[in-house]
Amino acid sequence: MDDHPELLVRLRAGLPAETLITDPDVMTSYGRDMASFCDAGTPAVVVLPRTVEQVQQVMRTATELRVPVVPQGARTGLSGAANASDGCIVLSLTKMDRILEISPVDRIAVVEPGVVNAVLSRAVHEHGLYYPPDPSSWETCTIGGNIGTASGGLCCVKYGVTAEYVLGLDVVLADGRLLSTGRRTAKGVAGYDLTRLFVGSEGSLGIVVKAVLALRPRPPQQLVLAAEFPSAAAACDAVCAIMERGHTPALLELMDRTTIHAVNALANMGLPGSTEALLLAAFDTPDPAADLAAVGKLCAAAGATEVVPAENAAESELLLQARRLSLTALETVKRATMIDDVCVPRSRLGAMIDGTAAIADAYGLTIGVCAHAGDGNTHPVVCFDPADPDESRRARESFDEIMALGLELGGTITGEHGVGVLKKEWLARELGPVGVELQRGIKHTFDPLGILNPGKLF
């Protein structure tokens, strides 16, 4: 506040009192997301706007006073993208939480950024519709946050990620102007695709205040199959066979030995101790039992020691419990975790998992891997004690080794969590100097003063 003595006076003059938080203890709770090893500063003020006009007022004030602005959703992110910087305005969009429209004919929903993913999913379900993106934090994460980080989820192998469902946006720019991008029609190719540019931009180009989202017809109830394998390589061979044969599972998830043991220890799931990898496949087709039978044969041919298809929704839900407990179980192994999200071509999935196991051995750490196997998106979870400096160092170094391995295998440093603070050095390595130069140029066009989420991405 000392650097900008006018800030609070200006904000109080232009905004309702209930939208401003200045209590230091309360502001601390808005300081960071869920990422480890990411610095966070102390904001000058937290603003919780309820209207587009209030967001515009904040950005006009920020531009005039040259104050940085850090946009936030529910702070469930894992890259530090929502972390505050010293003296910034934290702009939390969680109070802008209205579903403005659901159209079964046009198959769209129009929402404000603070709408929780699960709330939207349940609302459109009542209309016979389906909003597919389902991050693991779907009960708490917001649509605005999902758009900012281009979130994924369990169903990506069939339905794709958030970017595939954002048709249009209303965005408040750094200087307070309101920009509308995209469309609400089924097709549209007018001009550059600015909508896609904002998806995954982590609040660095503008503040999303409204989104037009594509919906799908609600699919039939899915059935799930679990297959146990004597090695991660055999499970990955099954994944390749399933995709090569043209199957389109609604879900194709993999858990390695470390993750299986952690889940067993937490919930006594009864998975055999000899299981080195567990593959879960689900189909929501008109005849899911037939699809599961075909996939079961491919798993057996790849070396599965046991294949268990569910016969109904209750059994399917029971089989999925192990996967849903994965991250929670790994968090009990040590006092802290670092969750990576390196994505590789499906054909290199086995090499990624085996390579991660070798990194765990080399650094003397517990690293469990659960993966959206159908799209090659791995989640190596590094377990460590933050009170142990040496173990913390090894955890961070192993995290970097995992990202290096992903790039070496032709992958990307992030499939769905974003770059934020945690991976910005690695973004430069992935993009290369020409890519970084052009992306910084785009950033400058939208945010010439550099006040939108500074220190993130680049």
Side-chain angles (χ1 to χ4, degrees):
M1 284 300 300
D2 293 339
D3 292 335
H4 304 287
E6 294 183 48
L7 177 60
L8 200 54
V9 172
R10 295 277 292 273
L11 291 176
R12 282 175 172 157
L15 297 169
E18 65 270 15
T19 65
L20 302 176
I21 296 175
T22 56
D23 182 287
D25 292 333
V26 179
M27 286 198 297
T28 298
S29 67
Y30 288 85
R32 62 173 60 248
D33 63 18
M34 298 179 70
S36 300
F37 293 109
C38 293
D39 292 335
T42 302
V45 61
V46 175
V47 184
L48 291 91
R50 288 164 172 79
T51 68
V52 174
E53 291 75 17
Q54 289 171 6
V55 177
Q56 291 180 282
Q57 177 65 25
V58 170
M59 294 313 305
R60 283 193 291 265
T61 301
T63 290
E64 291 167 7
L65 298 179
R66 307 299 197 263
V67 178
V69 177
V70 177
Q72 288 184 350
R75 302 188 307 282
T76 57
L78 293 164
S79 69
N83 285 11
S85 55
D86 285 333
C88 76
I89 300 170
V90 163
L91 188 61
S92 172
L93 284 303
T94 54
K95 298 297 184 181
M96 297 180 67
D97 60 357
R98 294 180 300 161
I99 298 175
L100 302 173
E101 180 185 352
I102 296 173
S103 173
V105 174
D106 294 326
R107 293 182 182 172
I108 61 169
V110 183
V111 305
E112 292 183 326
V115 172
V116 171
N117 185 295
V119 171
L120 175 63
S121 296
R122 293 179 182 123
V124 302
H125 182 87
E126 297 299 317
H127 294 266
L129 297 169
Y130 177 44
Y131 180 66
D134 61 343
S136 59
S137 57
W138 77 300
E139 291 281 5
T140 53
C141 66
T142 62
I143 296 298
N146 294 168
I147 292 170
T149 57
S151 299
L154 299 183
C155 68
C156 295
V157 60
K158 179 175 181 178
Y159 292 103
V161 296
T162 296
E164 276 73 65
Y165 294 89
V166 182
L167 298 178
L169 296 170
D170 279 5
V171 181
V172 174
L173 300 177
D175 59 8
R177 290 178 296 165
L178 183 64
L179 169 70
S180 292
T181 75
R183 64 194 195 278
R184 54 182 291 148
T185 55
K187 297 191 297 183
V189 293
Y192 295 126
D193 191 350
L194 296 182
T195 303
R196 275 294 187 103
L197 186 60
F198 282 104
V199 179
S201 65
E202 301 183 22
S204 65
L205 301 179
I207 312 296
V208 172
V209 291
K210 187 171 75 174
V212 180
L213 304 174
L215 304 174
R216 296 282 190 93
R218 188 174 65 205
Q221 178 66 50
Q222 67 180 13
L223 286 181
V224 178
L225 170 147
E228 299 171 10
F229 289 87
S231 69
C236 293
D237 287 344
V239 170
C240 292
I242 290 166
M243 303 308 293
E244 185 179 15
R245 297 295 180 87
H247 294 287
T248 310
L251 172 151
L252 192 58
E253 297 288 306
L254 185 146
M255 299 160 56
D256 75 345
R257 172 187 58 194
T258 300
T259 306
I260 293 168
H261 289 178
V263 170
N264 266 341
L266 176 68
N268 193 26
M269 296 291 290
L271 299 171
S274 60
T275 298
E276 293 289 314
L278 181 70
L279 187 66
L280 298 168
F283 286 87
D284 56 8
T285 53
D287 188 6
D291 289 308
L292 289 186
V295 165
K297 290 179 181 178
L298 294 175
C299 289
T305 55
E306 188 169 0
V307 177
V308 181
E311 295 184 358
N312 53 49
E315 290 183 6
S316 294
E317 184 60 29
L318 186 62
L319 291 175
L320 286 176
Q321 277 302 311
R323 174 62 180 89
R324 292 196 175 122
L325 287 171
S326 294
L327 296 182
T328 302
L330 288 167
E331 286 170 352
T332 67
V333 173
K334 289 280 188 172
R335 294 175 56 191
T337 57
M338 290 186 72
I339 305 173
D340 214 328
D341 71 318
V342 172
C343 192
V344 297
R346 296 186 192 102
S347 58
R348 308 308 304 275
L349 183 60
M352 183 68 201
I353 293 176
D354 287 344
T356 300
I359 291 169
D361 289 341
Y363 283 89
L365 295 168
T366 298
I367 304 178
V369 179
C370 48
H372 307 311
D375 51 27
N377 197 168
T378 67
H379 290 303
V381 181
V382 182
C383 306
F384 68 101
D385 183 355
D388 183 332
D390 182 67
E391 192 164 276
S392 295
R393 174 191 59 78
R394 286 183 281 123
R396 182 61 206 240
E397 290 178 3
S398 71
F399 189 85
D400 287 343
E401 290 283 348
I402 290 167
M403 285 190 285
L405 173 64
L407 291 180
E408 181 184 326
L409 294 174
T412 175
I413 59 169
T414 175
E416 56 188 8
H417 292 170
V419 175
V421 176
L422 189 62
K423 296 186 175 184
K424 64 180 186 178
E425 293 179 9
W426 284 92
L427 178 65
R429 299 193 197 189
E430 180 170 332
L431 295 180
V434 176
V436 169
E437 179 184 353
L438 289 174
Q439 295 214 13
R440 284 178 172 162
I442 292 169
K443 163 73 169 170
H444 182 76
T445 296
F446 282 89
D447 180 22
L449 299 178
I451 64 172
L452 280 170
N453 218 6
K456 315 297 168 54
L457 291 170
F458 306 111

